[in-house]
Amino acid sequence: MPKASDTLWDLAIAEVEKRENPDDDDAKPGEVWEKSVLFMGNKNGGKTTIILRCLEREESPKPTLALEYTFGRRARRHNAPKDVAHFWELGGGTSLVELIRIPITSHNIRSFAVVLVLDLSKPNELWTTMESLLQVTRNHVNRILIKLEKTNPEVAAEIKQRMWNDLQRDHPDYALVDPFPIPLVIIGSKCDIFNEFDSETRKIISKTLRFVSHYYGASLVFTSKSEALLLKARALINHLAFGYDKSKSVSLDPSKPLFIPAGLDSMSQIGPPPASDSDLGKMRANTPLELWKKVFEKTFPPKSFCDLQDTKDPAQDSQYAEYEVDVMRAQKNQELEQYKRNASKSWKEMDFDSN
């Protein structure tokens, strides 16, 4: 029975689940594990492809317009109720980042995780995309935690404690990192194109992403259309979404695709930022993260924020075509163009006082 407080998204999710699983109405509360995962990252970075692979769907990926939702169901054991994983995908790169407020709420924050997909073939967009998306998400989550400290301090304390689960107090980097407030996986996509870069370029990108992932307490995996690499990414996501066992394998070899579960890297293995001692000495930074940013952006100057905005008009996208609406829009466009021509003509004929 819908509640008055249910949002449109809540009702849509419930309706889809009911249609897909009509026999599950008798499942007892508490028997089903529900988790939520938000995918975000570069526009055209491969987020939809990764989601479809995780859900084992043989579909061709379509462009994500804004914020899209789907879900998957898996049983942890034979004859057990199927657990539910809610998958959200933020489209448009960084241009629609404020929409993350819709899926991440105080009601699901305990079971929420983020997957950041970064396009390895576009290093000049990498840091700006990562910084913008993670900063807005972290600020939003922190605001939720501040409210929970007043309304439900036990839950707030649990979430804060869980941030450190992958890094024990005796870890040598315990005082040097700043874990993300909710579980985070960073995926470097298009590894096949990345492998065509020269070795020094690959080294800088790999070391930087290793540092960022370790600093935020995140898992890191490089992937491409290769089935073997997609399976590795899927293993990390299934751990977040369905509670599958966490992989213990690690691949730190810079000549191979990286695979590093959270907590299994270290600053000593990563090494210093890839810059000369003299360059490092000239750089002013307040945190290790800021220092790595300066080194990375010296090699890969960032694109401006405006360049990363999604400027494509969704009304021109054929997948959203509606005949009646499109006919009316075409008529309005013609009227607008006529208005512009008339306005231009009248302005040219006006006699302005030059004094």
Side-chain angles (χ1 to χ4, degrees):
M1 183 74 180
K3 302 188 292 292
S5 60
D6 283 346
T7 66
L8 181 60
W9 286 109
D10 295 328
L11 297 174
I13 292 168
E15 179 63 23
V16 173
E17 290 180 2
K18 184 177 180 181
R19 291 181 184 179
E20 296 271 339
N21 303 276
D23 299 326
D24 282 359
D25 290 344
D26 295 330
K28 296 179 182 179
E31 289 187 348
V32 174
W33 175 324
E34 278 197 57
K35 295 264 188 173
S36 298
V37 183
L38 171 64
F39 289 75
M40 57 187 184
N42 292 90
K43 184 187 175 187
N44 299 322
K47 300 181 292 295
T48 306
T49 299
I50 294 170
I51 292 173
L52 292 174
R53 189 63 191 87
C54 287
L55 297 176
E56 299 180 344
R57 294 181 185 169
E58 299 297 329
E59 302 174 18
S60 297
K62 297 178 181 179
T64 303
L65 179 61
L67 182 66
E68 297 196 3
Y69 167 82
T70 188
F71 72 95
R73 296 173 68 89
R74 303 272 170 83
R76 277 171 283 175
R77 56 186 181 277
H78 185 61
N79 290 331
K82 290 184 177 180
D83 297 327
V84 180
H86 305 284
F87 287 82
W88 298 86
E89 181 183 357
L90 179 69
T94 59
S95 62
L96 302 172
V97 65
E98 295 301 328
L99 290 179
I100 58 108
R101 299 175 184 178
I102 294 173
I104 308 178
T105 70
S106 58
H107 301 293
N108 63 15
I109 191 72
R110 293 175 70 183
S111 57
F112 212 100
V114 170
V115 175
L116 176 65
V117 181
L118 298 173
D119 188 339
L120 296 176
S121 71
K122 300 176 180 177
N124 296 85
E125 296 181 13
L126 194 149
W127 194 284
T128 305
T129 299
M130 173 184 67
E131 184 176 56
S132 174
L133 293 172
L134 291 185
Q135 193 172 62
V136 173
T137 304
R138 183 168 208 157
N139 290 343
H140 176 62
V141 171
N142 284 340
R143 283 193 293 269
I144 292 176
L145 291 177
I146 290 172
K147 291 181 180 178
L148 282 176
E149 286 175 349
K150 300 175 182 177
T151 60
N152 199 333
E154 294 82 7
V155 170
E158 175 195 327
I159 294 173
K160 290 184 176 182
Q161 177 58 42
R162 199 173 58 195
M163 290 164 52
W164 295 91
N165 281 356
D166 292 313
L167 207 66
Q168 303 303 317
R169 284 190 174 275
D170 59 353
H171 193 288
D173 303 331
Y174 191 84
L176 301 174
V177 298
D178 186 16
F180 205 69
I182 54 179
L184 173 65
V185 168
I186 297 178
I187 296 179
S189 66
K190 303 187 181 180
C191 188
D192 48 339
I193 300 175
F194 168 79
N195 288 335
E196 297 175 2
F197 294 164
D198 64 78
S199 59
E200 188 61 26
T201 297
R202 296 200 308 271
K203 175 184 175 183
I204 294 172
I205 296 172
S206 295
K207 287 189 68 171
T208 300
L209 287 181
R210 282 183 64 184
F211 169 80
V212 169
S213 298
H214 186 55
Y215 184 80
Y216 283 130
S219 298
L220 174 66
V221 58
F222 282 8
T223 189
S224 67
K225 293 181 180 180
S226 159
E227 186 66 18
L229 295 182
L230 282 171
L231 283 174
K232 287 191 172 185
R234 181 181 165 193
L236 289 175
I237 295 168
N238 280 340
H239 171 68
L240 298 178
F242 298 106
Y244 286 14
D245 290 341
K246 186 177 179 181
S247 176
K248 297 294 184 183
S249 66
V250 180
S251 176
L252 300 173
D253 188 341
S255 66
K256 298 178 181 179
L258 296 177
F259 182 82
I260 314 171
L264 298 184
D265 210 343
S266 67
M267 298 294 188
S268 60
Q269 294 182 90
I270 296 169
S276 66
D277 291 342
S278 60
D279 284 342
L280 289 176
K282 297 174 185 176
M283 295 178 180
R284 294 185 178 181
N286 296 318
T287 66
L289 186 67
E290 191 176 327
L291 179 61
W292 277 82
K293 175 184 178 179
K294 289 180 179 294
V295 171
F296 186 83
E297 292 188 340
K298 183 178 181 182
T299 305
F300 305 107
K303 283 193 172 183
S304 70
F305 186 76
C306 292
D307 290 339
L308 299 179
Q309 296 292 298
D310 184 9
T311 56
K312 183 180 179 181
D313 183 358
Q316 306 300 324
D317 196 321
S318 60
Q319 70 170 318
Y320 305 111
E322 291 187 50
Y323 179 75
E324 293 83 0
V325 175
D326 292 342
V327 168
M328 182 61 70
R329 182 181 178 86
Q331 179 182 330
K332 294 298 181 183
N333 285 342
Q334 289 178 356
E335 293 173 359
L336 177 60
E337 289 304 315
Q338 185 62 44
Y339 169 79
K340 288 179 180 178
R341 287 193 292 269
N342 292 340
S344 176
K345 183 178 179 181
S346 62
W347 274 82
K348 290 177 180 176
E349 292 175 350
M350 292 181 70
D351 183 19
F352 290 96
D353 185 359
S354 58
N355 294 325

